[in-house]
Amino acid sequence: MQKKVAIVGNGNLAYHLAKRFWELGHPISGLVVRSEAKAVPFKPFLNDETVITSASNLANHPWDLILIAVADSAISSMIQQTIFPKSAIVIHASGSQPMSVFHATGIQNFGVVYPLQTFSKQKDFSFSEVPLFVEANNRATEEQLLNFSKILSPKVALLSSDKRLRLHMAAVMACNFSNALYAIAEDQLSAAGLDFELLRPLMEETVQKAVTIGPKQAQTGPATRGDSEIITKHLNLLHQSPEIKEVYQLLTNLIANRSKKN
Ligand SMILES: NC(=O)c1ccc[n+]([C@@H]2O[C@H](COP(=O)([O-])OP(=O)(O)OC[C@H]3O[C@@H](n4cnc5c(N)ncnc54)[C@H](OP(=O)(O)O)[C@@H]3O)[C@@H](O)[C@H]2O)c1
């Protein structure tokens, strides 16, 4: 890969991207962070030529592609406050922010590469399994972003901002919401002195079944069967956790109503 890539940000995605480029034998050329101390965990994935900077004027760096990996709420102001090299393609990686955040910024070539995966610095995974969704403001940039993305992962597709937002919402439901329920389940088990690991085969089979026969077909449990006796017993166990009890009741109603329709 000939392109000089820089990353803005030092969070979870920035970390895994820097690591991926290093694994590909092409360490990033620039890392833009708010303070240089934040670059320390990235050092194993950088080389002597990598520029680490906290400057907002990046105009003189010879970077071809600048990937903004900062918090969604900071993307727009970060773009407004930064001077980018004229010839660079500037992209963000957010599922929820439209490509139009780049409008009226003076940046000529811009786009989005959204990786549909959950990234945490503490957990390794195979980047080649990550689907990447690309959008660009012109044909030539689109072509370059598709080629760039295929270096990171073979699973690359074009997607508009509108569809990306819906995909992101679905991802929040499938990943963030189910993980929050795992955390609640973990608390309930530990209240009884039981290990979260006990749920692993069940959790793995749930995912397998949902993708094999479809989540609607895969739904089981007391709410699907309309078993109010069991539901009452469970709600009684939660009498000291009103918030969790409400979630249990809400999800039970949702499952019961959807089961009636199917
Ligand atoms: N993590 C994922 O699973 C995932 C998946 C797909 C896409 N993405 C996208 O990747 C991007 C980064 O997400 P992340 O999860 O890596 O974030 P993160 O781990 O929460 O890190 C946030 C980063 O944003 C920086 N930041 C926050 N406020 C800022 C501001 N006002 N100005 C400049 N920098 C600021 C932080 O810098 P400081 O440390 O200096 O505060 C930090 O580098 C987001 O657009 C997100 O939607 C993330």
Side-chain angles (χ1 to χ4, degrees):
M1 188 173 67
Q2 302 304 321
K3 290 204 177 308
K4 288 184 182 299
V5 176
I7 296 174
V8 183
N10 54 276
N12 290 306
L13 178 62
Y15 179 87
H16 281 288
L17 281 171
K19 183 164 179 281
R20 179 68 174 148
F21 284 112
W22 174 77
E23 284 166 355
L24 290 165
H26 189 84
I28 56 170
S29 302
L31 182 65
V32 184
V33 283
R34 287 202 280 189
S35 81
E36 293 197 11
K38 300 207 170 190
V40 172
F42 289 71
K43 290 278 166 75
F45 314 127
L46 308 179
N47 66 12
D48 292 344
E49 278 113 66
T50 308
V51 174
I52 299 169
T53 179
S54 54
S56 57
N57 186 346
L58 308 174
N60 292 325
H61 292 290
W63 301 331
D64 304 301
L65 183 74
I66 300 180
L67 202 156
I68 298 170
V70 302
D72 285 354
S73 57
I75 292 175
S76 182
S77 59
M78 196 270 148
I79 294 170
Q80 305 288 341
Q81 288 157 18
T82 305
I83 304 169
F84 294 98
K86 274 221 154 35
S87 60
I89 297 175
V90 185
I91 61 174
H92 73 65
S94 167
S96 65
Q97 298 303 303
M99 185 173 68
S100 59
V101 292
F102 290 106
H103 289 170
T105 58
I107 301 169
Q108 281 168 13
N109 298 311
F110 54 81
V112 180
V113 175
Y114 169 52
L116 181 59
Q117 189 49 280
T118 171
F119 301 96
S120 295
K121 284 179 188 167
Q122 304 87 330
K123 170 78 174 62
D124 263 336
F125 63 95
S126 167
F127 213 111
S128 59
E129 291 294 313
V130 179
L132 298 172
F133 295 94
V134 171
E135 190 179 14
N137 72 318
N138 58 55
R139 262 298 172 61
T141 305
E142 183 181 288
E143 198 58 37
Q144 292 199 58
L145 289 182
L146 287 170
N147 290 337
F148 160 76
S149 300
K150 283 175 195 160
I151 294 166
L152 295 173
S153 162
K155 299 182 176 183
V156 177
L158 289 171
L159 199 71
S160 67
S161 289
D162 288 352
K163 288 192 177 180
R164 193 173 64 251
L165 179 61
R166 196 170 285 275
L167 178 63
H168 182 251
M169 181 183 65
V172 166
M173 291 173 172
C175 168
N176 303 153
F177 289 1
S178 50
N179 194 65
L181 291 174
Y182 296 158
I184 292 169
E186 183 182 35
D187 289 347
Q188 292 303 319
L189 289 179
S190 80
L194 297 172
D195 196 337
F196 180 58
E197 175 66 23
L198 289 174
L199 290 180
R200 180 204 281 262
L202 175 68
M203 288 160 58
E204 288 175 350
E205 177 60 12
T206 305
V207 172
Q208 283 306 322
K209 201 153 64 111
V211 295
T212 309
I213 64 172
K216 291 190 183 82
Q217 282 294 113
Q219 191 72 54
T220 58
T224 313
R225 295 190 297 267
D227 196 331
S228 54
E229 203 176 312
I230 295 178
I231 292 166
T232 304
K233 280 186 189 176
H234 290 172
L235 288 170
N236 288 341
L237 279 178
L238 295 170
H239 70 282
Q240 281 178 327
S241 316
E243 197 182 18
I244 308 301
K245 189 173 175 180
E246 200 182 331
V247 170
Y248 186 105
Q249 187 69 72
L250 255 173
L251 286 173
T252 295
N253 294 346
L254 182 99
I255 294 168
N257 291 338
R258 287 171 67 93
S259 298
K260 276 182 216 148
K261 283 184 204 152
N262 289 334

